[in-house]
Every structure is written in structure tokens, then in C-alpha cells.
Amino acid sequence: MNRLQDKVVIITGAANGIGLQAAKTFAGEGAQVVIADFDEEKGEQREQELLAEGLTCTFVQVNVADRGSVDAMVDSVLSGYGKVDILINNAGITRDGMLSKLAPEHFQQVIDVNLTGVFHCTQAVLPAMTAQGKGKIVNTSSVTGTYGNIGQTNYAAAKAGIIGMTKTWAKELARKGINVNAVAPGFTETGMVADVPDKVIDKMKAQVPMGRLGRPEDIANAYLFLSSNEADYVNGHVLHVDGGIMM
Ligand code: CAA
Ligand code: NAI
């Protein structure tokens, strides 16, 4: 029995990395997946790849930092599918730098995409989910949002802010039948960590009791659980998927 049969799922940032794996995992469970990503070329390519594997998906281009773009994406999903059951707020960027050198525009860019983008997408799906009386929202925080990380002032602020929004929305939206939770991944093998210096990766790995970085499927499986009926009584939770890096 598929766990997400006929559910309509928007996954932001699904053209790459964790979001792409989530698109495959969710579609494999019977969901109709919307790959909502800024990267048009990769998004279209991923749509074709998943369709060729017999999975149901559509690519819709969006910039989560731009409210007009987000509203247009959600409108197009509603006119195509008539509903939105699940929103995975996964899109994110880094612009790392030590505080002493961090450019103000890099601070702002990360806040705009990683924090304000989550606000835009969630507010945009809210009328549809409220009308349905049921919905699941999963936000993507990070080990950086709970414990901090050298070189990530901007990113840590956004990812900690996501936890605050998750708990606030879990309280506000429960009465509307909407569950809101977050996943906080540890360092995970995607393009996002590709530019991190090896010496930093080695330090991180040494702190993980499981001795390895996360894999996209580790995080996608957490998204799946929090999106499924099995998590109907889980609300306002931050699920750490980090091999136990910090306890
Ligand atoms: N953890 C531990 N030590 C770190 C560190 C980190 N995250 N980042 C830098 N350091 C250390 C360096 O190893 C270096 O130590 P030594 O002086 O002993 O060699 C020292 O801090 C200074 O670093 P740099 O010489 O690299 O300084 P820089 O100004 O040239 O560059 C930087 C600064 C851009 C922050 C660079 O160090 C860097 O990219 N660090 C990695 C930042 C990082 O961890 N980003 C995570 C990206 S993945 C992600 O964001 C996903 C997620 O949710 C975790
Ligand atoms: P990635 O870089 O592989 O993929 C991110 C995707 O987001 C890309 O497809 C990109 O085009 C898209 N995107 C970027 N800006 C966008 C925008 N404005 N609008 C729409 N889409 C946009 O990154 P990864 O690793 O898959 O990250 C996914 C999420 O997981 C992010 O929120 C990230 O912060 C978080 N995370 C990642 C960790 C890691 O170590 N890889 C650890 C903890 C959290």
C-alpha cells in the first residue's frame, strides 16, 4: 500500500540534492510531486528523468524569495491538481563567511531565500489547506540552526528562525487540521557541502558518532514520515537527522 497515494506534494528546491531525493521517494509512494525550483534547466531535466522512471511529477519554476513568483507557482498547482496536501519547504542556499568579513548582501540573500521563502510558501498554500481541513507542512532547518556553525551567521539565523516559525505555526494551524514540523539535517552529501573545505568536513565527520555524513535518502525518509498519516499526532517537532552529531 502506497503511503502517499494521490497526495499532491509541493517540494521546493527539488531539482537537486535532498529535494530531488524527496521527489523520488514521495513519487515512489504514489504522490503527485511538484518539483518547485529556481533552476529551470535542472528542473525540466529532473521532470523528464522521473517521468521516464514512471513517477508522477511536474516541474514549476519558482523563486521562493519572491512572493509574486510563489503565488503564481501555487496558483498553477491548484489549477492543475485542484489541491495541495503537503508542502516541503526544502529550498535553501549558503553564502558562508566569517562574521568579520560577511557582506551585508550575503546576510540578506540567505534570509530572503531560507527564511522569508518559507514564510511565503507556507502562507501561499494556507487557504487551500485550510479549505481542505487537512495538510502537512515540513520545514527544513539544520544542525547549524540549533547549534551554530563557524562561518554561517546568516544561515544559522535563518535556520533557527525556521524552528521558531515551525512551533508558532504548529500552535496556530493545528485547529485547522494542519500539522507543521521541521527536519534538522546534519552535514549531508549534496552540492551544498561540495565547496566546504576538506579540513572542515573532516572535523564534522569526526564529531558524528555514526562516522559518516548524511545521505539525501536519510533526510527524504524523515520528510516522508512527517508527511504521512503515521505522523498525524506529531506537531511542532524538530526531527534531528544527523547521526547524533550533537546530543
Ligand atoms: N567548523 C570548524 N572549523 C571551521 C569551520 C567550521 N564550520 N569553518 C572554518 N573553520 C576553521 C578553518 O578550519 C580554519 O582553521 P585553521 O585556521 O586552523 O586552518 C579557520 O576556521 C579559518 O577558516 P578559513 O581559513 O577557511 O577562513 P576563510 O575566511 O578563508 O573562509 C569560510 C571562511 C568561508 C567560513 C570557510 O572556512 C568555510 O567555507 N567554512 C565552512 C563553513 C561551513 O561549515 N559551511 C557549511 C556548508 S553546508 C551547509 O550549510 C548545510 C548545513 O546545514 C550544515
Ligand atoms: P542543494 O544546493 O543540493 O539544493 C538546493 C535546491 O534549492 C537547488 O535545486 C536550488 O536550485 C534550489 N533553490 C535555491 N534557491 C532557490 C530559490 N530562491 N527558489 C527556489 N529554489 C531555490 O542543497 P541541499 O543540500 O539539497 O539542501 C536542501 C535543504 O536542506 C536546504 O534547505 C538546506 O539548507 C538544508 N540542509 C542541507 C544540509 C546539507 O548538509 N546538505 C544540512 C542541513 C540542512
Side-chain angles (χ1 to χ4, degrees), residues 153-236:
T153 296
N154 45 6
Y155 187 88
K159 294 300 187 181
I162 281 176
I163 293 176
M165 294 201 301
T166 298
K167 292 181 177 179
T168 298
W169 297 340
K171 289 181 176 171
E172 272 187 36
L173 305 182
R175 71 191 70 183
K176 300 180 192 295
I178 302 170
N179 300 55
V180 187
N181 292 288
V183 174
F187 278 60
T188 305
E189 290 165 352
T190 70
M192 188 172 269
V193 299
D195 294 334
V196 177
D198 287 346
K199 58 185 175 183
V200 174
I201 293 288
D202 291 343
K203 280 183 196 167
M204 289 299 161
K205 259 193 209 160
Q207 289 180 57
V208 182
M210 295 188 68
R212 66 165 175 89
L213 299 191
R215 300 181 185 119
E217 48 269 40
D218 295 322
I219 315 307
N221 287 335
Y223 289 165
L224 174 63
F225 168 65
L226 292 172
S227 302
S228 70
N229 291 339
E230 288 127 57
D232 275 353
Y233 200 57
V234 182
N235 193 34

Side-chain angles (χ1 to χ4, degrees), residues 111-150:
I111 297 296
D112 288 349
V113 174
N114 294 10
L115 186 65
T116 314
V118 174
F119 162 73
H120 286 324
C121 292
T122 305
Q123 206 175 45
V125 301
L126 198 53
M129 283 192 183
T130 303
Q132 289 157 208
K134 190 163 170 64
K136 291 268 191 329
I137 296 170
V138 181
N139 298 326
T140 311
S141 180
S142 164
V143 62
T144 295
T146 45
Y147 301 107
N149 186 27
I150 291 174

Side-chain angles (χ1 to χ4, degrees), residues 41-146:
E41 196 185 323
K42 273 280 173 56
E44 278 168 3
Q45 186 190 322
R46 301 313 191 192
E47 181 189 68
Q48 292 311 312
E49 287 168 7
L50 267 66
L51 289 173
E53 289 175 34
L55 301 170
T56 310
C57 73
T58 321
F59 168 64
V60 182
Q61 207 263 344
V62 69
N63 176 4
V64 297
D66 176 338
R67 184 48 179 266
S69 172
V70 169
D71 285 342
M73 181 272 288
V74 172
D75 285 350
S76 114
V77 173
L78 290 173
S79 53
Y81 295 102
K83 61 173 186 164
V84 180
D85 298 299
I86 298 162
L87 169 67
I88 310 293
N89 279 311
N90 166 83
I93 59 168
T94 53
R95 296 286 182 271
D96 293 346
M98 298 295 189
L99 175 61
S100 56
K101 298 189 220 164
L102 186 63
E105 55 270 31
H106 284 173
F107 183 86
Q108 198 56 48
Q109 280 169 14
V110 170
I111 297 296
D112 288 349
V113 174
N114 294 10
L115 186 65
T116 314
V118 174
F119 162 73
H120 286 324
C121 292
T122 305
Q123 206 175 45
V125 301
L126 198 53
M129 283 192 183
T130 303
Q132 289 157 208
K134 190 163 170 64
K136 291 268 191 329
I137 296 170
V138 181
N139 298 326
T140 311
S141 180
S142 164
V143 62
T144 295
T146 45

